[in-house]
Coordinates of all heavy atoms in Angstrom, one line a residue:
M19 N -25.1 51.5 -2.0 CA -25.0 52.4 -0.9 C -24.1 51.8 0.2 O -24.4 50.6 0.6 CB -26.4 52.8 -0.3 CG -26.3 53.6 0.9 SD -27.9 53.9 1.7 CE -28.7 55.0 0.6
R20 N -23.1 52.4 0.7 CA -22.3 51.9 1.7 C -22.7 52.4 3.1 O -22.9 53.6 3.2 CB -20.8 52.2 1.5 CG -19.9 51.6 2.4 CD -18.5 51.5 1.7 NE -17.5 51.0 2.6 CZ -17.2 49.7 2.7 NH1 -17.7 48.9 1.9 NH2 -16.3 49.3 3.6
V21 N -23.0 51.5 4.0 CA -23.5 51.9 5.3 C -22.6 51.3 6.4 O -22.0 50.2 6.2 CB -24.9 51.4 5.5 CG1 -25.9 52.2 4.6 CG2 -25.1 50.0 5.4
D22 N -22.5 52.0 7.5 CA -21.8 51.5 8.7 C -22.8 50.7 9.5 O -23.7 51.2 10.2 CB -21.2 52.6 9.5 CG -20.5 52.2 10.8 OD1 -20.5 51.0 11.1 OD2 -19.9 53.1 11.4
I23 N -22.7 49.3 9.5 CA -23.7 48.5 10.2 C -23.6 48.6 11.7 O -24.5 48.1 12.4 CB -23.5 47.0 9.8 CG1 -22.2 46.4 10.2 CG2 -23.8 46.9 8.3 CD1 -22.1 44.9 10.0
F24 N -22.6 49.2 12.3 CA -22.4 49.3 13.7 C -22.9 50.6 14.3 O -23.1 50.8 15.5 CB -21.0 49.0 14.1 CG -20.5 47.7 13.7 CD1 -19.6 47.5 12.7 CD2 -21.0 46.5 14.3 CE1 -19.2 46.3 12.3 CE2 -20.6 45.2 13.9 CZ -19.7 45.1 12.9
N25 N -23.1 51.6 13.4 CA -23.5 52.9 13.8 C -24.7 53.4 13.0 O -24.5 54.1 11.9 CB -22.3 53.9 13.7 CG -21.2 53.5 14.6 OD1 -21.4 53.5 15.8 ND2 -20.1 53.2 14.1
E26 N -25.9 53.1 13.4 CA -27.1 53.6 12.7 C -27.3 55.1 12.9 O -27.1 55.6 13.9 CB -28.3 52.8 13.2 CG -29.6 53.1 12.5 CD -30.7 52.3 13.0 OE1 -30.5 51.2 13.5 OE2 -31.9 52.7 12.9
I27 N -27.7 55.7 11.8 CA -28.0 57.1 11.8 C -29.4 57.3 12.2 O -30.3 56.8 11.5 CB -27.6 57.8 10.5 CG1 -26.2 57.6 10.1 CG2 -28.0 59.3 10.5 CD1 -25.8 58.0 8.7
A28 N -29.7 58.0 13.2 CA -31.1 58.3 13.6 C -31.8 59.2 12.6 O -31.1 60.0 12.0 CB -31.1 58.9 15.0
W29 N -33.1 59.2 12.6 CA -33.8 60.0 11.6 C -33.5 61.5 11.7 O -33.3 62.1 10.7 CB -35.3 59.7 11.8 CG -36.2 60.7 11.1 CD1 -37.1 61.6 11.7 CD2 -36.4 61.0 9.7 NE1 -37.7 62.4 10.8 CE2 -37.3 62.0 9.6 CE3 -35.8 60.4 8.6 CZ2 -37.7 62.5 8.3 CZ3 -36.1 60.9 7.4 CH2 -37.1 61.9 7.2
L30 N -33.5 62.0 13.0 CA -33.3 63.4 13.1 C -31.9 63.8 12.6 O -31.7 64.9 12.0 CB -33.4 63.8 14.6 CG -34.9 63.7 15.1 CD1 -34.9 64.0 16.6 CD2 -35.8 64.6 14.3
N31 N -30.9 63.0 12.8 CA -29.5 63.2 12.3 C -29.5 63.0 10.8 O -28.7 63.7 10.1 CB -28.5 62.4 13.0 CG -28.4 62.7 14.4 OD1 -28.6 63.9 14.8 ND2 -28.0 61.8 15.3
F32 N -30.2 62.0 10.3 CA -30.2 61.7 8.8 C -30.7 63.0 8.1 O -30.2 63.3 7.0 CB -31.1 60.5 8.6 CG -31.0 60.0 7.1 CD1 -30.0 59.2 6.7 CD2 -32.0 60.4 6.3 CE1 -30.0 58.8 5.4 CE2 -32.0 60.0 4.9 CZ -31.0 59.2 4.5
R33 N -31.8 63.6 8.6 CA -32.4 64.7 7.9 C -31.4 65.9 7.8 O -31.6 66.8 7.0 CB -33.6 65.2 8.7 CG -34.8 64.2 8.6 CD -36.0 64.8 9.2 NE -36.4 66.0 8.5 CZ -37.4 66.8 8.9 NH1 -37.9 66.6 10.1 NH2 -37.7 67.9 8.2
K34 N -30.4 66.0 8.7 CA -29.5 67.1 8.7 C -28.3 66.9 7.8 O -27.4 67.8 7.7 CB -29.0 67.3 10.2 CG -30.1 67.8 11.1 CD -29.6 67.9 12.5 CE -30.7 68.2 13.5 NZ -30.3 68.2 14.9
L35 N -28.1 65.7 7.2 CA -27.0 65.5 6.3 C -27.1 66.4 5.1 O -28.2 66.7 4.6 CB -27.0 64.0 5.8 CG -26.8 62.9 6.9 CD1 -27.0 61.5 6.3 CD2 -25.4 63.0 7.4
P36 N -25.9 66.9 4.6 CA -25.9 67.9 3.6 C -26.7 67.5 2.3 O -27.4 68.3 1.7 CB -24.4 68.1 3.3 CG -23.7 67.6 4.5 CD -24.6 66.6 5.1
N37 N -26.6 66.3 1.9 CA -27.2 65.8 0.7 C -28.7 65.5 0.9 O -29.4 65.2 -0.1 CB -26.5 64.7 0.0 CG -26.3 63.5 1.0 OD1 -26.3 63.6 2.2 ND2 -26.3 62.3 0.4
I38 N -29.2 65.5 2.1 CA -30.6 65.2 2.5 C -31.4 66.4 2.8 O -32.6 66.5 2.5 CB -30.6 64.1 3.6 CG1 -29.8 62.9 3.2 CG2 -32.0 63.8 4.0 CD1 -30.4 62.1 2.1
K39 N -30.8 67.3 3.5 CA -31.6 68.4 4.1 C -32.2 69.3 3.1 O -33.2 70.0 3.3 CB -30.7 69.3 5.1 CG -29.6 70.0 4.5 CD -28.8 70.7 5.6 CE -27.6 71.5 5.0 NZ -26.9 72.1 6.1
T40 N -31.7 69.3 1.8 CA -32.3 70.2 0.8 C -33.4 69.5 0.1 O -34.1 70.1 -0.7 CB -31.2 70.5 -0.3 OG1 -30.7 69.3 -0.8 CG2 -30.1 71.3 0.3
L41 N -33.7 68.2 0.3 CA -34.8 67.5 -0.3 C -36.1 67.8 0.4 O -36.1 68.2 1.6 CB -34.5 66.0 -0.3 CG -33.2 65.5 -0.9 CD1 -33.0 64.0 -0.7 CD2 -33.2 65.8 -2.4
S42 N -37.2 67.5 -0.3 CA -38.5 67.6 0.3 C -38.6 66.5 1.4 O -37.9 65.5 1.4 CB -39.6 67.4 -0.7 OG -39.6 66.1 -1.2
L43 N -39.6 66.7 2.3 CA -39.8 65.7 3.4 C -40.1 64.3 2.8 O -39.6 63.3 3.3 CB -40.9 66.2 4.3 CG -41.2 65.3 5.5 CD1 -40.0 65.1 6.3 CD2 -42.4 65.8 6.3
T44 N -40.9 64.3 1.7 CA -41.2 63.0 1.1 C -40.0 62.3 0.6 O -39.8 61.1 0.8 CB -42.2 63.2 -0.1 OG1 -43.4 63.9 0.4 CG2 -42.6 61.9 -0.7
E45 N -39.1 63.1 -0.1 CA -37.8 62.5 -0.6 C -36.9 62.1 0.6 O -36.3 61.0 0.5 CB -37.1 63.5 -1.5 CG -37.8 63.6 -2.9 CD -37.7 62.3 -3.6 OE1 -36.7 61.6 -3.7 OE2 -38.8 61.9 -4.2
Q46 N -36.9 62.8 1.6 CA -36.1 62.5 2.8 C -36.6 61.1 3.4 O -35.7 60.3 3.7 CB -36.2 63.6 3.9 CG -35.5 64.8 3.5 CD -35.6 65.9 4.6 OE1 -36.3 65.7 5.6 NE2 -35.0 67.1 4.3
V47 N -37.9 61.0 3.5 CA -38.4 59.7 4.0 C -38.1 58.6 3.1 O -37.7 57.5 3.6 CB -40.0 59.9 4.2 CG1 -40.6 58.5 4.5 CG2 -40.3 60.9 5.3
K48 N -38.2 58.8 1.8 CA -37.8 57.7 0.9 C -36.4 57.3 1.0 O -36.0 56.1 1.1 CB -38.1 58.1 -0.6 CG -39.5 58.1 -1.0 CD -39.7 58.6 -2.4 CE -41.1 58.7 -2.8 NZ -41.3 59.2 -4.2
K49 N -35.5 58.3 1.1 CA -34.1 58.0 1.2 C -33.8 57.3 2.5 O -32.9 56.4 2.6 CB -33.3 59.3 1.1 CG -33.3 60.0 -0.2 CD -32.3 59.5 -1.1 CE -32.3 60.3 -2.4 NZ -31.4 59.8 -3.4
Y50 N -34.4 57.8 3.6 CA -34.2 57.1 4.9 C -34.7 55.7 4.9 O -34.0 54.8 5.4 CB -34.9 57.9 6.0 CG -34.5 57.4 7.4 CD1 -33.2 57.7 7.9 CD2 -35.3 56.7 8.2 CE1 -32.8 57.3 9.1 CE2 -34.9 56.3 9.5 CZ -33.6 56.6 9.9 OH -33.2 56.1 11.2
N51 N -35.8 55.4 4.3 CA -36.3 54.0 4.2 C -35.3 53.2 3.4 O -35.1 52.0 3.7 CB -37.7 54.0 3.5 CG -38.8 54.4 4.5 OD1 -38.6 54.4 5.7 ND2 -39.9 54.9 4.0
L52 N -34.8 53.7 2.3 CA -33.7 53.0 1.5 C -32.5 52.7 2.4 O -31.9 51.6 2.4 CB -33.3 53.8 0.3 CG -34.4 53.8 -0.8 CD1 -33.9 54.8 -1.9 CD2 -34.6 52.4 -1.4
Y53 N -32.1 53.7 3.2 CA -31.0 53.6 4.1 C -31.2 52.5 5.1 O -30.4 51.6 5.3 CB -30.7 54.9 4.7 CG -29.8 54.8 6.0 CD1 -28.4 54.6 5.8 CD2 -30.3 54.9 7.2 CE1 -27.6 54.4 6.9 CE2 -29.5 54.8 8.4 CZ -28.1 54.5 8.2 OH -27.3 54.4 9.3
I54 N -32.4 52.5 5.7 CA -32.7 51.5 6.8 C -32.8 50.1 6.1 O -32.3 49.1 6.7 CB -34.0 51.8 7.5 CG1 -33.9 53.1 8.3 CG2 -34.5 50.7 8.3 CD1 -32.8 53.0 9.5
N55 N -33.4 50.0 4.9 CA -33.4 48.7 4.3 C -32.0 48.2 4.0 O -31.7 47.0 4.2 CB -34.2 48.8 3.0 CG -35.7 48.9 3.2 OD1 -36.2 48.5 4.3 ND2 -36.4 49.4 2.3
E56 N -31.1 49.0 3.5 CA -29.8 48.6 3.2 C -29.0 48.3 4.4 O -28.3 47.3 4.5 CB -29.0 49.7 2.4 CG -27.6 49.4 2.0 CD -27.5 48.3 1.0 OE1 -28.5 47.9 0.3 OE2 -26.4 47.7 0.9
L57 N -29.2 49.0 5.5 CA -28.6 48.8 6.8 C -29.0 47.4 7.3 O -28.2 46.6 7.7 CB -28.9 49.9 7.8 CG -28.4 49.7 9.2 CD1 -26.9 49.9 9.2 CD2 -29.0 50.7 10.1
T58 N -30.3 47.1 7.2 CA -30.8 45.8 7.7 C -30.2 44.7 6.9 O -29.8 43.6 7.4 CB -32.3 45.8 7.6 OG1 -32.8 46.9 8.4 CG2 -32.9 44.5 8.1
Y59 N -30.2 44.8 5.6 CA -29.6 43.8 4.7 C -28.1 43.6 5.0 O -27.7 42.4 5.2 CB -29.8 44.2 3.2 CG -29.1 43.3 2.3 CD1 -29.6 42.1 2.0 CD2 -27.8 43.7 1.7 CE1 -28.9 41.2 1.1 CE2 -27.2 42.8 0.9 CZ -27.7 41.6 0.6 OH -27.1 40.7 -0.3
Q60 N -27.3 44.6 5.2 CA -25.9 44.5 5.4 C -25.7 43.8 6.8 O -24.8 43.0 7.0 CB -25.2 45.8 5.4 CG -25.2 46.4 4.0 CD -24.4 45.6 3.0 OE1 -23.5 44.8 3.4 NE2 -24.7 45.7 1.7
R61 N -26.5 44.2 7.8 CA -26.4 43.5 9.1 C -26.7 42.0 9.0 O -26.0 41.2 9.6 CB -27.3 44.2 10.1 CG -26.8 45.5 10.6 CD -27.8 46.2 11.5 NE -27.2 47.4 12.1 CZ -27.9 48.3 12.8 NH1 -29.2 48.1 13.0 NH2 -27.4 49.3 13.3
N62 N -27.7 41.7 8.3 CA -28.1 40.3 8.1 C -27.0 39.5 7.4 O -26.7 38.4 7.8 CB -29.4 40.1 7.4 CG -30.6 40.5 8.2 OD1 -30.5 40.5 9.5 ND2 -31.7 40.9 7.6
V63 N -26.4 40.1 6.4 CA -25.3 39.5 5.7 C -24.1 39.2 6.6 O -23.5 38.1 6.7 CB -24.8 40.3 4.5 CG1 -23.5 39.8 3.9 CG2 -25.9 40.3 3.4
Y64 N -23.8 40.2 7.4 CA -22.7 40.1 8.4 C -23.0 39.0 9.4 O -22.2 38.2 9.8 CB -22.5 41.4 9.1 CG -21.5 41.3 10.3 CD1 -20.2 41.2 10.0 CD2 -21.9 41.4 11.6 CE1 -19.2 41.1 11.1 CE2 -21.1 41.3 12.6 CZ -19.7 41.1 12.4 OH -18.8 41.0 13.4
L65 N -24.3 39.0 10.0 CA -24.6 38.0 11.0 C -24.6 36.6 10.4 O -24.2 35.6 11.0 CB -26.0 38.3 11.5 CG -26.1 39.5 12.4 CD1 -27.6 39.8 12.8 CD2 -25.3 39.4 13.7
H66 N -25.0 36.4 9.1 CA -24.9 35.1 8.4 C -23.5 34.7 8.3 O -23.1 33.5 8.6 CB -25.6 35.2 7.1 CG -25.6 33.9 6.3 ND1 -26.4 32.9 6.7 CD2 -24.9 33.5 5.2 CE1 -26.1 31.9 5.8 NE2 -25.2 32.3 5.0
W67 N -22.6 35.6 7.9 CA -21.2 35.3 7.8 C -20.6 34.9 9.1 O -19.9 33.9 9.3 CB -20.4 36.5 7.2 CG -19.0 36.3 7.2 CD1 -18.3 35.7 6.2 CD2 -18.0 36.7 8.2 NE1 -16.9 35.7 6.5 CE2 -16.7 36.3 7.7 CE3 -18.1 37.3 9.4 CZ2 -15.6 36.5 8.5 CZ3 -17.0 37.5 10.2 CH2 -15.7 37.1 9.7
L68 N -21.0 35.7 10.2 CA -20.5 35.4 11.5 C -20.9 34.1 12.0 O -20.1 33.3 12.7 CB -21.0 36.5 12.5 CG -20.4 36.6 13.8 CD1 -18.9 36.9 13.7 CD2 -21.1 37.7 14.6
E69 N -22.1 33.7 11.8 CA -22.7 32.4 12.2 C -21.8 31.2 11.6 O -21.6 30.3 12.3 CB -24.1 32.3 11.6 CG -25.2 31.8 12.5 CD -25.1 31.6 13.9 OE1 -25.1 32.6 14.7 OE2 -25.1 30.4 14.4
G70 N -21.4 31.4 10.4 CA -20.6 30.3 9.8 C -19.2 30.3 10.2 O -18.5 29.3 10.0
H71 N -18.7 31.3 10.9 CA -17.3 31.4 11.3 C -17.0 31.2 12.8 O -15.9 31.1 13.2 CB -16.7 32.7 10.8 CG -16.4 32.7 9.3 ND1 -17.4 32.9 8.4 CD2 -15.4 32.4 8.6 CE1 -17.0 32.8 7.2 NE2 -15.7 32.5 7.3
K72 N -18.1 31.2 13.6 CA -17.8 31.1 15.0 C -18.0 29.7 15.6 O -17.7 29.5 16.7 CB -18.8 32.0 15.8 CG -20.2 31.6 15.8 CD -21.1 32.5 16.6 CE -22.5 32.1 16.7 NZ -23.3 32.9 17.5
K73 N -18.3 28.8 14.8 CA -18.5 27.4 15.2 C -17.2 26.6 15.3 O -17.2 25.5 15.8 CB -19.5 26.7 14.3 CG -20.9 27.3 14.4 CD -21.9 26.6 13.5 CE -23.2 27.3 13.6 NZ -24.1 26.7 12.6
G74 N -16.2 27.1 14.8 CA -14.9 26.3 14.8 C -14.8 25.4 13.6 O -15.7 25.4 12.7
P75 N -13.8 24.6 13.5 CA -13.6 23.7 12.4 C -14.7 22.6 12.3 O -15.2 22.2 13.4 CB -12.2 23.1 12.6 CG -12.0 23.2 14.1 CD -12.7 24.5 14.5
L76 N -14.9 22.1 11.1 CA -15.8 21.0 11.0 C -15.2 19.7 11.5 O -14.0 19.6 11.5 CB -16.1 20.8 9.5 CG -16.9 22.0 8.8 CD1 -17.0 21.7 7.3 CD2 -18.3 22.2 9.4
P77 N -16.0 18.9 12.1 CA -15.5 17.6 12.6 C -14.9 16.8 11.4 O -15.4 16.8 10.3 CB -16.7 16.9 13.2 CG -17.9 17.5 12.6 CD -17.5 18.9 12.2
P78 N -13.9 16.0 11.7 CA -13.3 15.1 10.6 C -14.3 14.1 10.1 O -15.2 13.6 10.9 CB -12.1 14.4 11.3 CG -12.4 14.5 12.7 CD -13.2 15.7 13.0
K79 N -14.3 13.8 8.8 CA -15.2 12.9 8.2 C -14.7 11.4 8.5 O -13.5 11.2 8.5 CB -15.3 13.1 6.7 CG -15.9 14.4 6.3 CD -16.1 14.5 4.9 CE -16.8 15.8 4.5 NZ -17.0 16.0 3.1
L80 N -15.6 10.5 8.7 CA -15.2 9.1 8.9 C -14.8 8.5 7.6 O -15.3 8.8 6.5 CB -16.4 8.4 9.4 CG -16.9 8.8 10.8 CD1 -18.1 8.0 11.2 CD2 -15.8 8.6 11.9
Q81 N -13.8 7.7 7.7 CA -13.3 7.0 6.5 C -13.5 5.5 6.6 O -13.2 5.0 7.7 CB -11.8 7.3 6.3 CG -11.5 8.7 5.9 CD -10.0 8.9 5.7 OE1 -9.2 8.2 6.3 NE2 -9.6 9.9 4.9
I82 N -13.9 4.9 5.6 CA -14.0 3.4 5.6 C -12.6 2.9 5.1 O -12.1 3.2 4.1 CB -15.1 2.9 4.6 CG1 -16.4 3.4 5.1 CG2 -15.1 1.4 4.5 CD1 -17.6 3.1 4.1
I83 N -12.0 2.1 6.0 CA -10.6 1.7 5.7 C -10.6 0.2 5.4 O -9.6 -0.3 5.1 CB -9.7 2.0 6.9 CG1 -10.2 1.4 8.2 CG2 -9.5 3.5 7.0 CD1 -9.2 1.5 9.3
G84 N -11.7 -0.5 5.5 CA -11.7 -1.9 5.1 C -13.1 -2.5 5.4 O -13.9 -1.9 6.0
V85 N -13.3 -3.7 4.9 CA -14.6 -4.4 5.1 C -14.3 -5.8 5.6 O -13.3 -6.4 5.1 CB -15.3 -4.5 3.8 CG1 -16.6 -5.2 3.9 CG2 -15.6 -3.1 3.2
L86 N -15.0 -6.3 6.6 CA -14.9 -7.6 7.0 C -16.0 -8.5 6.4 O -17.1 -8.1 6.4 CB -15.0 -7.7 8.6 CG -13.9 -7.0 9.4 CD1 -14.3 -7.1 10.8 CD2 -12.6 -7.7 9.1
L87 N -15.6 -9.6 5.9 CA -16.6 -10.5 5.3 C -16.6 -11.8 6.2 O -15.5 -12.5 6.3 CB -16.2 -10.9 3.9 CG -17.1 -11.9 3.2 CD1 -18.5 -11.4 3.1 CD2 -16.5 -12.2 1.8
Q88 N -17.7 -12.1 6.8 CA -17.8 -13.3 7.6 C -18.5 -14.4 6.9 O -19.6 -14.2 6.4 CB -18.5 -13.0 8.9 CG -18.6 -14.2 9.8 CD -19.4 -13.9 11.1 OE1 -20.1 -12.9 11.1 NE2 -19.3 -14.7 12.1
E89 N -17.8 -15.5 6.8 CA -18.5 -16.7 6.1 C -19.1 -17.5 7.2 O -18.7 -17.5 8.4 CB -17.4 -17.5 5.3 CG -16.8 -16.7 4.2 CD -15.8 -17.5 3.4 OE1 -15.8 -18.7 3.6 OE2 -15.1 -16.9 2.7
D90 N -20.1 -18.3 6.9 CA -20.8 -19.2 7.8 C -19.8 -20.1 8.5 O -18.9 -20.6 8.0 CB -21.9 -20.0 7.1 CG -23.0 -19.1 6.6 OD1 -23.1 -18.0 7.1 OD2 -23.7 -19.5 5.7
L91 N -20.1 -20.4 9.8 CA -19.4 -21.3 10.7 C -18.0 -20.9 11.1 O -17.3 -21.7 11.7 CB -19.3 -22.7 10.0 CG -20.7 -23.3 9.5 CD1 -20.4 -24.6 8.8 CD2 -21.6 -23.5 10.7
F92 N -17.6 -19.7 10.8 CA -16.3 -19.2 11.3 C -16.5 -18.0 12.1 O -17.3 -17.1 11.8 CB -15.4 -18.9 10.1 CG -15.0 -20.1 9.3 CD1 -15.7 -20.5 8.1 CD2 -14.0 -21.0 9.8 CE1 -15.4 -21.6 7.4 CE2 -13.7 -22.1 9.0 CZ -14.4 -22.4 7.9
D93 N -15.7 -17.8 13.2 CA -15.7 -16.6 14.0 C -14.7 -15.7 13.5 O -13.6 -16.1 13.0 CB -15.3 -17.0 15.5 CG -16.4 -17.8 16.2 OD1 -17.6 -17.5 15.9 OD2 -16.1 -18.6 17.0
L94 N -14.9 -14.4 13.6 CA -13.9 -13.4 13.3 C -13.0 -13.2 14.5 O -13.5 -13.2 15.6 CB -14.6 -12.1 12.9 CG -15.5 -12.0 11.7 CD1 -16.2 -10.7 11.6 CD2 -14.6 -12.3 10.4
E95 N -11.7 -13.1 14.2 CA -10.8 -13.0 15.3 C -9.9 -11.8 15.1 O -9.6 -11.5 14.0 CB -9.9 -14.2 15.5 CG -10.7 -15.5 15.9 CD -9.9 -16.7 16.1 OE1 -8.6 -16.6 15.8 OE2 -10.4 -17.7 16.5
Q96 N -9.5 -11.2 16.2 CA -8.5 -10.1 16.2 C -7.1 -10.7 16.1 O -7.0 -11.9 16.2 CB -8.7 -9.2 17.4 CG -10.0 -8.5 17.5 CD -10.1 -7.6 18.8 OE1 -9.1 -7.0 19.2 NE2 -11.3 -7.5 19.3
E97 N -6.1 -9.8 15.9 CA -4.8 -10.3 15.8 C -4.3 -11.1 17.0 O -3.5 -12.0 16.9 CB -3.8 -9.2 15.5 CG -4.0 -8.6 14.1 CD -3.1 -7.4 13.8 OE1 -2.3 -7.0 14.7 OE2 -3.2 -6.8 12.8
N98 N -4.8 -10.7 18.2 CA -4.4 -11.4 19.4 C -5.2 -12.7 19.6 O -5.0 -13.3 20.7 CB -4.5 -10.5 20.6 CG -5.9 -10.1 20.9 OD1 -6.9 -10.5 20.3 ND2 -6.1 -9.2 21.9
G99 N -6.1 -13.1 18.7 CA -6.9 -14.3 18.8 C -8.2 -14.2 19.5 O -9.0 -15.1 19.5
S100 N -8.5 -13.0 20.1 CA -9.8 -12.8 20.7 C -10.9 -12.7 19.7 O -10.6 -12.1 18.6 CB -9.8 -11.7 21.7 OG -9.6 -10.5 21.0
K101 N -12.1 -13.1 20.0 CA -13.2 -13.1 19.0 C -13.8 -11.7 18.9 O -13.9 -11.0 19.8 CB -14.2 -14.1 19.4 CG -13.7 -15.6 19.3 CD -14.8 -16.5 19.6 CE -14.2 -17.9 19.6 NZ -15.2 -18.9 20.0
I102 N -14.3 -11.4 17.7 CA -15.0 -10.2 17.4 C -16.5 -10.6 17.4 O -16.9 -11.4 16.6 CB -14.6 -9.5 16.1 CG1 -13.1 -9.2 16.1 CG2 -15.5 -8.3 15.8 CD1 -12.6 -8.6 14.7
L103 N -17.3 -9.9 18.2 CA -18.7 -10.2 18.3 C -19.4 -9.4 17.3 O -19.3 -8.1 17.3 CB -19.2 -10.0 19.7 CG -18.6 -10.9 20.8 CD1 -19.1 -10.4 22.2 CD2 -18.8 -12.3 20.6
I104 N -20.3 -10.0 16.5 CA -21.1 -9.3 15.6 C -22.5 -9.2 16.2 O -23.1 -10.2 16.5 CB -21.2 -10.0 14.2 CG1 -19.8 -10.3 13.6 CG2 -22.0 -9.2 13.2 CD1 -19.0 -9.0 13.3
T105 N -23.0 -7.9 16.4 CA -24.3 -7.7 17.0 C -25.4 -7.4 16.1 O -26.5 -7.4 16.4 CB -24.2 -6.6 18.1 OG1 -23.8 -5.4 17.4 CG2 -23.2 -7.0 19.2
G106 N -25.1 -7.0 14.9 CA -26.2 -6.7 13.9 C -25.8 -6.9 12.5 O -24.6 -7.1 12.2
Y107 N -26.7 -7.0 11.6 CA -26.5 -7.3 10.2 C -27.1 -6.1 9.4 O -28.1 -5.6 9.7 CB -27.1 -8.6 9.8 CG -26.5 -9.8 10.5 CD1 -27.2 -10.3 11.7 CD2 -25.3 -10.4 10.1 CE1 -26.6 -11.4 12.3 CE2 -24.8 -11.4 10.8 CZ -25.4 -11.9 11.9 OH -24.9 -13.0 12.6
A108 N -26.4 -5.8 8.3 CA -26.9 -4.7 7.4 C -28.0 -5.3 6.6 O -28.1 -6.4 6.3 CB -25.7 -4.2 6.6

């Protein structure tokens, strides 16, 4: 069933639709419940899709471009000769 998720049909208007008004009240209620269930489902699908698209692009992933290996008794130095301080160990 295709439904317009932005324009819900009220019960009183639904009952007046050509393919609905000839049905018994019980059948009309069943069809309306099916319509409301489908409408709710389609709205939820749309909201889920919208949630995933309104946040913008994903942040770039970090890349490991090298590993430093420090041997005992030696300081790590940058290209300009300043020392690199190591504050923690893995």
